[in-house]
Amino acid sequence: CLPRSNVLLCSRTRPTSPCWPARHACRPSIAAMAEVNQEHMSPGPTPASLPAHKEYRWSVLVAIMLSLATLASAWCGFQASTWSTLYAHETRAANGERFEAARQSDIADRQITNDVLIFSTWLEAEVNGNAPLAAEIYARFLPHFRPAFDAWRELPLEGGSALPPGAPFEQPEYVLPTQADADAASERALAAPDSAHNATATSARYILTSVLFASVLFLAGIASKLAYRRPARAVVGVAGVALVLAMPLLVTSPVRF
């Protein structure tokens, strides 16, 4: 009436003595039953293996955090250096544009002085009725002054005067090329500090993000050195919070190569 395995075990464990009682012939021993159960039971996780599995998952999580923080910290350092270089370049460009604006402005002042002197000479010749001298002076007008002078001569006379009112320098046609260059250089000099300020602000943003990632590296690193499980997991949790705070700053920061 017993299973075949038990019968076989009974036959194995039954002594060969004829004095052995018949009622004990089919009673398996405890050791034999344990052997059969060990053969037929499927292996599974033991309670001792569960903490080791959890520790393995925590180790994988810490390794992922360390990898992300290392790569992100290196990227932040590269971007901070790039934006600092841009800040230095924009600062030098602003200083150069200021010097260029001052130089062009000096040239424009000298041109205005020359135009005033030559116009005064023409006016004196015109008033004195020296037409050949006035024509000779007119031929020596600079290209930027002649359109303004012609526009001034075409103005209507007032009160029987022989000359129009005002002066050629008041006409819209009077434009000094060097003064235009000086104004353009001044505008570029004013725009350069804005770019420099943007560059230094971006560099500071990357430095802050790098500090957060360095905190992640520090906390995740010391967590593996703690002997107790709860403090180690608490430190890993703080490192995860720092990683979550640093990732949006990294993603939303401008990139420059």
Side-chain angles (χ1 to χ4, degrees):
C1 60
L2 291 176
R4 182 180 177 183
S5 59
N6 290 347
V7 173
L8 292 176
L9 289 173
C10 291
S11 64
R12 294 174 187 171
T13 58
R14 185 176 56 195
T16 57
S17 174
C19 299
W20 182 258
R23 66 177 181 271
H24 295 291
C26 295
R27 181 177 297 176
S29 64
I30 296 177
M33 293 178 64
E35 181 181 355
V36 172
N37 292 335
Q38 186 68 23
E39 293 178 356
H40 289 278
M41 287 177 61
S42 60
T46 60
S49 64
L50 293 178
H53 183 65
K54 292 182 179 180
E55 291 297 328
Y56 174 75
R57 289 188 298 178
W58 275 98
S59 299
V60 171
L61 177 61
V62 172
I64 293 174
M65 292 175 60
L66 288 173
S67 301
L68 290 176
T70 302
L71 294 175
S73 180
W75 175 255
C76 290
F78 169 72
Q79 286 296 317
S81 176
T82 302
W83 286 97
S84 297
T85 303
L86 178 62
Y87 166 76
H89 177 269
E90 292 295 333
T91 302
R92 290 193 300 268
N95 294 331
E97 294 296 342
R98 291 190 187 97
F99 288 132
E100 180 64 18
R103 188 179 71 85
Q104 294 293 340
S105 180
D106 291 339
I107 296 174
D109 291 340
R110 291 196 298 269
Q111 288 181 349
I112 291 176
T113 303
N114 293 333
D115 293 338
V116 171
L117 291 176
I118 197 171
F119 175 71
S120 300
T121 305
W122 175 89
L123 185 60
E124 183 179 357
E126 183 70 18
V127 171
N128 295 331
N130 192 348
L133 180 59
E136 182 67 23
I137 295 174
Y138 177 81
R140 296 178 182 273
F141 284 165
L142 295 177
H144 69 271
F145 180 69
R146 187 170 297 173
F149 180 82
D150 294 339
W152 173 72
R153 289 299 301 269
E154 294 176 359
L155 293 176
L157 302 178
E158 296 180 358
S161 176
L163 297 174
F169 309 101
E170 301 173 356
Q171 303 304 313
E173 290 80 5
Y174 184 72
V175 177
L176 288 171
T178 52
Q179 185 62 46
D181 295 339
D183 295 339
S186 298
E187 292 178 359
R188 291 192 298 269
L190 292 176
D194 295 336
S195 300
H197 177 73
N198 183 30
T200 187
T202 305
S203 178
R205 181 185 179 95
Y206 272 110
I207 291 174
L208 174 61
T209 308
S210 179
V211 170
L212 291 176
F213 283 121
S215 301
V216 174
L217 292 174
F218 173 74
L219 294 173
I222 66 172
S224 61
K225 304 299 181 180
L226 298 178
Y228 297 98
R229 184 179 305 172
R230 288 185 178 179
R233 292 185 177 181
V235 172
V236 172
V238 175
V241 172
L243 183 63
V244 171
L245 293 176
M247 288 304 294
L249 292 176
L250 177 65
V251 174
T252 57
S253 297
V255 177
R256 181 179 177 85
F257 295 96

